[in-house]
Each structure stands twice: as structure tokens, then as C-alpha cells.
Amino acid sequence: MIELTRLNGQPISVNCDLMRYAESTPDTTITLVTGEKLVVLESREDLTQRVKQYRASILHEAWPSAASAVSALQTFRASSTE
């Protein structure tokens, strides 16, 4: 879940897996897969960053060594192209 703020200033936790899309019209409006719409104070760009950070945290929790594995793979690929 990501933490967002309704237009009235009240915090809300949103399951980002249920988001269908987000629009800036000019307020950020999130449409869920259920058709429900949420209007929040955060910008669409901020919303996107929060979703990315949330998903990265889930992956990090599930696979803590991923960062070193990805780094090693990138080093291997870089050295094999030289």
C-alpha cells in the first residue's frame, strides 16, 4: 500500500495493485480497477515514484541480495563486450 492524501488533507492508504490509471485533470485522479475514482493532492509524477518505491521495497524484501546480483550481472555484461 502507498500513502496518499485526499484533497481534504486526510491520509489514505491505497493498494497500488488495484490502480488502473492516473490522470492530472488538473488534480490527480486515480481510477481503480473497480471503477472507483480517488482524487489526491500528490502529483501524478509523485504517485508514479511512490508506486516504484513500493514495488522496489517488496522485491528487496523478497530477494535482499538482488542488488548485488544485478550489479554483478551488469559488470559481467560490460566486461564481455570489451
Side-chain angles (χ1 to χ4, degrees):
M1 300 262 246
I2 59 172
E3 300 297 317
L4 300 171
T5 312
R6 291 184 182 269
L7 289 183
N8 65 4
Q10 293 296 312
I12 183 172
S13 298
V14 178
N15 181 342
C16 60
D17 293 328
L18 297 180
M19 291 181 188
R20 187 168 180 198
Y21 55 87
E23 301 172 282
S24 301
T25 59
D27 295 320
T28 304
T29 304
I30 303 166
T31 302
L32 304 178
V33 295
T34 62
E36 180 181 359
K37 293 186 182 284
L38 302 171
V39 182
V40 297
L41 289 176
E42 290 77 13
S43 69
R44 193 175 46 80
E45 293 78 15
D46 187 28
L47 177 63
T48 300
Q49 274 306 112
R50 290 181 190 209
V51 170
K52 287 179 183 179
Q53 289 170 349
Y54 170 75
R55 292 184 186 215
S57 73
I58 296 298
L59 288 174
H60 179 71
E61 189 174 321
W63 188 22
S65 62
S68 59
V70 169
S71 178
L73 179 61
Q74 289 172 340
T75 301
F76 172 76
R77 285 182 176 162
S79 66
S80 66
T81 60
E82 294 176 355

